Amino acid sequence: MVPPAEFRSYYGRPIVRPPVWHHDIAAYLFTGGLAAGSALLAAGGDATGRPALRRAGRVTALGALVASTYFLINDLGRPARFHHMLRVAKPTSPMSMGTWILSAFGAAAGVSAVAEAAPLLPGPLRRLLPPLGTAGQYGAAVLAPALATYTAVLLADTATPSWHAAYPELPLIFGGSALASGAGVGLIAAPPSEAGPARRMAVLGAAFELYGAHRVETTKGILSEPYTRGRAGRWLRAGRALTVLGVAGAVLGRRSRVVSALSGASLLAASLATRFGVFDGGVASAADPKYTVIPQRERLARRAEDGQPVRDPRAT
């Protein structure tokens, strides 16, 4: 009997070059989504006359953005590299567009957060800052969907097998996770009487996140495996459980400040776990050559069955 084939590469090296990013980027994915979700929370709180939601959303959006900038620059290694990316605007590059989105969002979120300190400032600034803060707040809310999802496009645009295969679902996961984390901030910071928009955000965000994660884990064939095994699988299972607990607490504990706060913390932890799970799943798929070899052979077989010309990649 011939033993089963083992998918190996020369000297045990990966066929696809693994991502050079470290877990700073996984943290960056989380804080960027948190900033986007918080900006939407602030806009919703302001539009519905809920000052606690507005205040929490504005301050958290700025704080999360500062953390995002730190994680990104720390991974780049030199602060000047972030500045150098602003010298060019390239619409076909998710990294280039993301840098500009991050910068524009930062300016808008910064103005809106500073406006919360207007009552403590002298007369002219006290009158000038609130309108500027409102404009910045809604500007940040307009940019929030792009900030929440451009990182999904960035991951899917790489050759990393499990990221690239999940390109339809990653924006759903990241957008839903951003909404859920923003809702978590609202549930923690606002009294139950003002937390209605946060509860609705939690339900909507959880629906998108759980649906996208389910599809990634079940519909990508062998490329779903890295999301269900090892450290990535543990992260994603924890994220799913925490999301369900957070939504259940938000809906059922709407009259309890303690339950709402615990639900918000659960949603924040779920968002963090989901981002780390997606990150680790992609890294694992690049490290094992079978996740490159088997899908490639399946694509060649399908083309042959359809009568399309097939060019053996080994011919080169």
Side-chain angles (χ1 to χ4, degrees):
M1 296 293 291
V2 177
E6 294 182 7
F7 296 97
R8 296 176 295 181
S9 59
Y10 290 110
Y11 302 105
R13 295 182 179 273
I15 296 173
V16 174
R17 185 179 180 183
V20 297
W21 300 324
H22 302 291
H23 278 100
D24 283 339
I25 293 300
Y28 166 71
L29 301 178
F30 165 69
T31 52
L34 176 59
S38 298
L40 292 172
L41 178 77
D46 186 57
T48 58
R50 291 174 166 87
L53 285 183
R54 183 203 68 220
R55 189 178 308 111
R58 287 182 176 185
V59 173
T60 304
L62 179 60
L65 186 78
V66 171
S68 289
T69 306
Y70 165 77
F71 288 127
L72 178 59
I73 292 176
N74 190 56
D75 188 79
L76 290 173
R78 290 188 300 169
R81 289 177 177 169
F82 182 83
H83 168 265
H84 294 342
M85 287 192 291
L86 292 173
R87 296 183 299 182
V88 177
K90 189 176 181 182
T92 57
S93 169
M95 179 64 80
S96 177
M97 290 295 97
T99 304
W100 283 99
I101 290 169
L102 189 68
S103 301
F105 181 92
V111 170
S112 65
V114 170
E116 288 296 321
L120 305 176
L121 299 175
L125 290 175
R126 185 181 303 175
R127 293 190 298 271
L128 180 63
L129 274 179
L132 291 177
T134 301
Q137 165 191 280
Y138 288 108
V142 169
L143 293 168
L147 180 66
T149 57
Y150 95 84
T151 47
V153 178
L154 177 63
L155 297 186
D157 199 41
T158 67
T160 303
S162 289
W163 286 345
H164 188 72
Y167 74 89
E169 290 83 15
L170 286 183
L172 277 178
I173 296 172
F174 282 23
S177 179
L179 285 173
S181 61
V185 171
L187 291 169
I188 292 172
S193 59
E194 290 192 21
R199 285 191 289 269
R200 289 187 284 273
M201 277 181 63
V203 173
L204 180 62
F208 282 133
E209 181 181 345
L210 293 174
Y211 172 73
H214 174 73
R215 284 191 55 83
V216 162
E217 294 174 5
T218 58
T219 65
K220 305 303 173 187
I222 194 172
L223 293 178
S224 290
E225 284 185 2
Y227 295 117
T228 61
R229 298 180 176 181
R231 185 165 58 183
R234 291 191 294 272
W235 277 121
L236 288 173
R237 286 191 293 273
R240 182 163 53 246
L242 288 167
T243 297
V244 172
L245 287 174
V247 171
V251 173
L252 300 177
R254 62 183 63 192
R255 296 184 179 180
S256 170
R257 183 68 182 268
V258 174
V259 174
S260 292
L262 290 174
S263 300
S266 181
L267 290 171
L268 287 170
S271 179
L272 179 67
T274 298
R275 303 304 178 106
F276 272 74
V278 170
F279 181 85
D280 285 339
V283 173
S285 73
D288 192 331
K290 76 177 182 180
Y291 296 121
T292 302
V293 174
I294 293 178
Q296 184 184 67
R297 291 181 178 177
E298 290 175 346
R299 288 193 297 270
L300 291 173
R302 284 196 299 269
R303 290 176 186 173
E305 290 175 359
D306 294 339
Q308 299 178 11
V310 177
R311 180 170 178 267
D312 191 333
R314 293 172 295 179
T316 59

Coordinates of all heavy atoms in Angstrom, one line a residue, residues 8-15 287 289:
R8 N 4.5 18.6 1.9 CA 5.7 19.2 2.5 C 6.3 20.2 1.5 O 6.1 20.1 0.3 CB 6.8 18.2 2.8 CG 6.3 17.2 3.9 CD 7.3 16.1 4.1 NE 7.4 15.3 2.9 CZ 8.3 14.2 2.9 NH1 9.0 13.9 3.9 NH2 8.3 13.5 1.8
S9 N 7.1 21.1 2.0 CA 7.8 22.1 1.1 C 9.3 21.9 1.3 O 9.7 21.2 2.2 CB 7.4 23.5 1.5 OG 7.7 23.8 2.8
Y10 N 10.1 22.5 0.5 CA 11.5 22.4 0.5 C 12.0 22.8 1.9 O 11.8 23.9 2.4 CB 12.2 23.2 -0.6 CG 12.0 22.6 -1.9 CD1 11.2 23.3 -2.9 CD2 12.6 21.4 -2.3 CE1 11.0 22.8 -4.1 CE2 12.4 20.9 -3.6 CZ 11.6 21.6 -4.5 OH 11.4 21.1 -5.7
Y11 N 12.8 21.9 2.6 CA 13.4 22.2 3.9 C 12.3 22.6 4.9 O 12.7 23.3 5.9 CB 14.4 23.3 3.7 CG 15.5 22.9 2.7 CD1 15.6 23.5 1.5 CD2 16.5 22.0 3.1 CE1 16.5 23.2 0.6 CE2 17.5 21.6 2.1 CZ 17.5 22.2 0.9 OH 18.5 21.9 0.0
G12 N 11.1 22.2 4.7 CA 10.1 22.5 5.7 C 9.6 24.0 5.7 O 8.9 24.4 6.6
R13 N 10.0 24.7 4.7 CA 9.6 26.2 4.6 C 8.2 26.3 4.1 O 7.8 25.5 3.2 CB 10.6 27.0 3.8 CG 12.0 27.0 4.3 CD 12.9 27.8 3.4 NE 14.2 27.9 4.0 CZ 14.6 28.8 4.9 NH1 13.7 29.7 5.3 NH2 15.8 28.8 5.3
P14 N 7.4 27.3 4.5 CA 6.1 27.6 4.0 C 6.2 27.9 2.5 O 7.1 28.5 2.1 CB 5.6 28.7 4.8 CG 6.4 28.7 6.0 CD 7.7 28.2 5.6
I15 N 5.1 27.5 1.7 CA 5.1 27.9 0.3 C 4.7 29.4 0.2 O 5.3 30.1 -0.7 CB 4.1 27.0 -0.4 CG1 4.6 25.6 -0.4 CG2 3.9 27.5 -1.9 CD1 3.6 24.6 -0.9
A287 N 1.5 29.1 7.5 CA 2.6 28.3 8.0 C 2.6 26.8 7.5 O 3.6 26.2 7.4 CB 2.6 28.3 9.5
P289 N 2.0 24.2 4.5 CA 1.9 24.2 3.0 C 0.6 23.5 2.4 O 0.2 23.8 1.3 CB 3.1 23.4 2.6 CG 3.6 22.7 3.8 CD 3.2 23.5 4.9

